[in-house]
């Protein structure tokens, strides 16, 4: 468990480092996500070496972002003023996204 | 009492308590609206408002929890690899479907909000509304949105997809299980994926993978798209 957590944090540090030196407009942890995917795909690290910690982190993922949801409280007035526009935009956009993704894969996908 | 509220223990404790309670509630009443994240978030908000506790006091504990979003995003890369291995044969059409859906998600929400003349800070906060909350938060920070607004809307989008996604797609003539999964993961991230898993294993795998791919697409594309549009 400690070893796999060390792996996860190593990729996190590497991602943050690359973001800083290369000045890319992508968060360091997302760079780290790319790097660990490719490290697994090209066999540089084994799945079993990172899986214990990654499974635990993902199991509690929702707990980690609840405080951001609570932070919405501080922006109550801003949301209240525009809630209808936000609701329309979000619902229409979600339906477009659902349909486009589904229809393309239904037409060209192989797995039914 | 004020000392306790000023300590990180308070924020962590109340979040754990709310999350535990919300999970227990969901087990009893399996409705989409009783989503554990939504219920936990709302009940914490109610406690803070009723007892007049400052959000900054809550965040002393909250920040300890949100710290783990960083390593969790790296863990998503591991999850992505596992799922990728399962659908390799179908990857190209799947990849194209998610990229098109993901990009149109950003374009459509930004254009509609601009049309309504909504303040730019809200537009920036909502551009990443379809992707998994931790990634949406990072994107929002980078393009100058308000991460708290992003998180709140992303959770609501997930619940919308979870509750209505399959019915909407069926109405629009979608019968393919993999297409249903990819659409739920692309439009409604992890909360949509929870519903996809209920529809079957294949649907769940496609949804989980779509959530990861759209997370990447949105993380990479949004900063540039916001530059073009605004």
């Amino acid at each position: 468990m400690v070893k796999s957590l060390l792996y996860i944090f190593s990729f996190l540090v590497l991602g943050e480092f690359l973001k800083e030196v290369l000045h890319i407009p992508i968060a360091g942890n997302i760079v780290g996500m790319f790097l660990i995917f490719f490290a697994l795909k090209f066999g540089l690290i084994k799945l079993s070496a990172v899986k214990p910690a990654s499974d635990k982190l993902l199991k509690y993922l929702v707990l980690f972002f609840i405080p951001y949801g609570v932070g919405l409280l501080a922006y109550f007035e801003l949301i209240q003023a525009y809630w209808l526009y936000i609701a329309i935009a979000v619902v229409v956009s979600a339906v477009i996204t659902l349909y486009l993704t589904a229809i393309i894969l239904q037409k060209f996908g192989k797995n039914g | 009492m004020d000392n306790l509220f000023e300590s990180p223990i308070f924020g962590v404790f109340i979040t754990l308590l709310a999350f535990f309670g919300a999970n227990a509630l969901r087990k009893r009443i399996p409705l989409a609206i009783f989503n554990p994240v939504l219920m936990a978030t709302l009940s914490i908000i109610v406690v803070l408002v009723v007892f007049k506790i400052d959000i900054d006091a809550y965040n002393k504990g909250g920040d300890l929890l949100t710290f783990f979003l960083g390593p969790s995003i790296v863990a998503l890369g591991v999850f992505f690899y596992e799922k990728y291995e399962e659908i390799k044969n179908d990857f190209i059409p799947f990849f194209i479907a998610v990229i098109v859906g993901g990009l149109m998600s950003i374009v459509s929400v930004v254009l509609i909000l601009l049309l309504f003349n909504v303040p730019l800070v809200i537009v920036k906060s909502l551009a990443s509304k379809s992707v998994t909350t931790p990634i949406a938060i990072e994107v929002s920070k980078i393009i100058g949105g308000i991460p708290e607004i992003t998180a709140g809307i992303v959770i609501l989008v997930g619940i919308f997809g979870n509750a209505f996604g399959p019915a909407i797609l069926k109405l629009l003539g979608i019968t393919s299980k993999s297409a249903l999964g990819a659409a739920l993961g692309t439009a409604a991230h992890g909360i949509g994926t929870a519903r996809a898993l209920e529809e079957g294993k294949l649907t769940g795998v496609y949804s989980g993978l779509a959530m990861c791919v759209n997370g990447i697409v949105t993380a990479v594309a949004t900063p540039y798209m916001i530059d073009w549009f605004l």
Side-chain angles (χ1 to χ4, degrees), chain A residues 22-104:
Chain A
L22 301 176
H23 299 288
I24 25 181
I26 300 172
N29 42 40
I30 293 170
V31 179
M33 176 180 78
F34 274 107
L35 296 174
I36 206 165
F37 171 76
F38 286 112
L40 284 162
K41 192 170 178 335
F42 295 117
L44 299 175
I45 53 170
K46 281 198 185 118
L47 182 62
S48 59
V50 289
K51 199 168 153 57
S54 77
D55 281 357
K56 277 278 182 305
L57 284 165
L58 293 178
K59 189 175 173 198
Y60 297 109
L61 177 60
V62 291
L63 179 65
F64 304 146
F65 58 69
I66 289 175
Y68 272 109
V70 174
L72 192 61
L73 174 64
Y75 302 95
F76 181 73
E77 279 165 24
L78 187 61
I79 298 292
Q80 197 187 25
Y82 297 99
W83 73 270
L84 185 61
Y85 297 143
I86 292 175
I88 294 172
V90 162
V91 168
V92 171
S93 170
V95 173
I96 291 173
T97 309
L98 280 167
Y99 182 66
L100 272 178
T101 311
I103 197 70
I104 294 172

Side-chain angles (χ1 to χ4, degrees), chain B residues 6-47:
Chain B
E6 289 298 324
S7 140
I9 299 169
F10 168 70
V12 174
F13 172 73
I14 192 175
T15 309
L16 284 172
L17 181 68
F19 190 51
F20 175 79
N23 275 319
L25 180 72
R26 176 60 187 269
K27 281 207 181 94
R28 284 178 186 226
I29 317 170
L31 285 173
I33 192 70
F34 286 105
N35 174 277
V37 186
L38 181 69
M39 284 299 134
T41 305
L42 289 179
S43 48
I44 297 167
I45 288 177
V46 168
V47 169

Side-chain angles (χ1 to χ4, degrees), chain A residues 5 7-9 11-12 19 24-30 32-34 36-37 40-42 47 50-51 53-55 57-75 78-79 82 84-86 88-106 108-112, chain B residues 19 37 40-41 44-45 48-49 58 62 65-66 68-75 77-82 84 89-90 93-94 97 100-101 104-105 108-109 112-113 116 118-119 122 126 129 133 135 137-138 141-142 146-149 151 157 169 172-179 182-183 186-187 202 206 216 219 223-224:
Chain A
L5 198 58
Y7 265 120
I8 298 275
F9 271 87
F11 279 93
L12 184 56
K19 182 211 151 64
I24 25 181
I26 300 172
N29 42 40
I30 293 170
M33 176 180 78
F34 274 107
I36 206 165
F37 171 76
L40 284 162
K41 192 170 178 335
F42 295 117
L47 182 62
V50 289
K51 199 168 153 57
S54 77
D55 281 357
L57 284 165
L58 293 178
K59 189 175 173 198
Y60 297 109
L61 177 60
V62 291
L63 179 65
F64 304 146
F65 58 69
I66 289 175
Y68 272 109
V70 174
L72 192 61
L73 174 64
Y75 302 95
L78 187 61
I79 298 292
Y82 297 99
L84 185 61
Y85 297 143
I86 292 175
I88 294 172
V90 162
V91 168
V92 171
S93 170
V95 173
I96 291 173
T97 309
L98 280 167
Y99 182 66
L100 272 178
T101 311
I103 197 70
I104 294 172
L105 193 57
Q106 178 159 294
F108 301 106
K110 297 184 188 108
N111 285 354
Chain B
F19 190 51
V37 186
T41 305
I44 297 167
I45 288 177
L48 298 185
V49 170
Y58 167 75
L65 293 171
T66 54
F68 287 98
L69 287 174
S72 300
I73 290 175
V74 177
V78 179
F79 175 83
F80 179 32
Y81 170 76
E82 274 188 282
Y84 166 78
N89 73 322
D90 204 19
F94 164 79
V100 173
M104 285 315 291
S105 164
S108 58
V109 79
I112 298 169
L113 289 170
F116 285 136
V118 165
I122 294 185
L126 266 58
K129 63 118 178 62
T133 316
I135 294 181
I137 288 168
E138 294 299 340
K141 281 183 192 162
I142 280 180
I146 299 170
E148 286 84 355
I149 293 182
V157 169
L169 289 171
L172 294 170
I174 301 301
T175 50
S176 153
K177 292 251 170 225
S178 57
T186 305
L202 184 75
Y206 271 87
I216 296 166
Y224 298 102

